[in-house]
Amino acid sequence: MKVLYFAWLRTKIGCAQEELSPPANVGDVAALMEWLKGRSPGHAEALADLSAVRAAVNQEFVSLDHVLAADDEVAMFPPITGG
Amino acid sequence: MTATIIRVQEEDFDVGEELARLSEGTARMGAVVCFVGLVRDVAGVDAIESMTLEHYPGMTEAKLRQTVSQAEKRWPLEGCLVIHRYGHLEPRDRIVLVATASCHRDAAFEACRFVIDWLKTSAPFWKKEKSADGEYWVEQEHSDREAARRWEKD
């Protein structure tokens, strides 16, 4: 599974993307975020408040209860501010 | 046939050249409406020195294509152009260009407004502003969400 981070999630976590194999009990995006918090203090800080975090799976916006597959591309980021 | 141009790029663009490109080879366009977004030098009380725009390569282009194709379904467009910049930008720099062309002005005006409103809440860009106080990530404007939402009603 490829996990991408953008904006302040990227700077707090300290990398733009990682290739990960979460355990089988990590079923949806919220569970993935909970599991990621254990990887480093940076992950824990970036994902401390999930109400401030949005996600996309395979480049489509999803809610945090979206069910994940092993080869998904998962992106985590704050609400977008383009234009 | 509709001319569709979508680009995400670091470099600046020339509005006149882009509009000329959009209307190349067709005489069906009776109206072209364009919106140009610029970097302001103020955000609240802080003076902005510069801005960095980050995006999600791949998803950005896909979302812009979806937005344009929605506009093409809703209005009889002859052409639609979206250019969005990323990277380092300074006050007065151009950030985004949306141009919509149609036989008549109503469709062109409405579609242009739709594309910029929709893009602001669907294209994955993030702004980081730099002021004398330091750098900070910009938070999403409630007014932008409302502007996009009003197109969901009909």
Side-chain angles (χ1 to χ4, degrees):
Chain A
M1 181 182 292
K2 190 172 165 188
V3 183
L4 309 175
Y5 309 108
F6 291 96
W8 53 257
L9 276 103
R10 176 178 52 74
T11 53
K12 282 180 179 175
I13 289 167
C15 74
Q17 67 175 70
E18 357 184 39
E19 196 66 47
L20 300 168
S21 304
N25 64 345
V26 171
D28 62 15
V29 176
L32 176 64
M33 288 173 173
E34 287 302 326
W35 178 71
L36 283 169
K37 284 184 194 176
R39 282 182 63 79
S40 80
H43 286 80
E45 192 196 343
L47 297 164
D49 176 11
L50 295 191
S51 72
V53 179
R54 303 289 181 271
V57 171
N58 302 327
Q59 307 193 350
E60 285 292 343
F61 295 108
V62 296
S63 55
L64 300 193
D65 61 1
H66 180 91
V67 174
L68 293 171
D71 57 351
D72 278 343
E73 175 178 303
V74 184
M76 301 178 188
F77 41 78
I80 59 180
T81 53
Chain B
M1 211 201 81
T2 313
T4 303
I5 302 169
I6 291 166
R7 294 208 315 264
V8 181
Q9 62 187 43
E10 200 157 7
E11 59 275 19
D12 193 16
F13 50 81
D14 182 282
V15 176
E17 274 176 27
E18 300 301 340
L19 295 186
R21 185 169 305 153
L22 183 67
S23 59
E24 236 165 49
T26 172
R28 290 178 53 84
M29 294 177 182
V32 179
V33 170
C34 85
F35 169 86
V36 184
L38 306 174
V39 179
R40 287 187 304 261
D41 69 352
V42 284
V45 292
D46 293 323
I48 292 174
E49 292 168 7
S50 66
M51 166 188 289
T52 307
L53 256 176
E54 176 173 332
H55 79 113
Y56 184 171
M59 182 171 173
T60 306
E61 290 83 352
K63 286 287 153 192
L64 294 178
R65 275 195 300 276
Q66 283 174 15
T67 303
V68 167
S69 107
Q70 287 263 336
E72 287 167 348
K73 279 193 198 110
R74 293 173 78 145
W75 290 279
L77 298 181
E78 295 295 327
C80 188
L81 162 89
V82 180
I83 301 174
H84 206 304
R85 294 180 67 191
Y86 64 89
H88 179 87
L89 295 165
E90 294 184 351
R92 293 195 295 256
D93 281 351
R94 285 172 281 270
I95 306 177
V96 60
L97 171 66
V98 175
T100 46
S102 188
C103 290
H104 302 287
R105 67 184 180 280
D106 282 353
F109 268 117
E110 285 177 24
C112 188
R113 183 69 202 253
F114 166 82
V115 171
I116 186 63
D117 283 351
W118 204 254
L119 169 165
K120 276 203 164 247
T121 56
S122 73
F125 283 95
W126 299 276
K127 283 177 183 154
K128 186 167 70 175
E129 292 176 344
K130 184 167 182 268
S131 73
D133 292 339
E135 286 191 295
Y136 48 90
W137 291 96
V138 175
E139 287 187 30
Q140 194 174 46
E141 295 268 1
H142 179 67
S143 58
D144 286 341
R145 289 199 303 276
E146 289 301 307
R149 202 162 287 152
R150 90 194 162 96
W151 295 105
E152 290 170 2
K153 286 169 194 158
D154 39 69

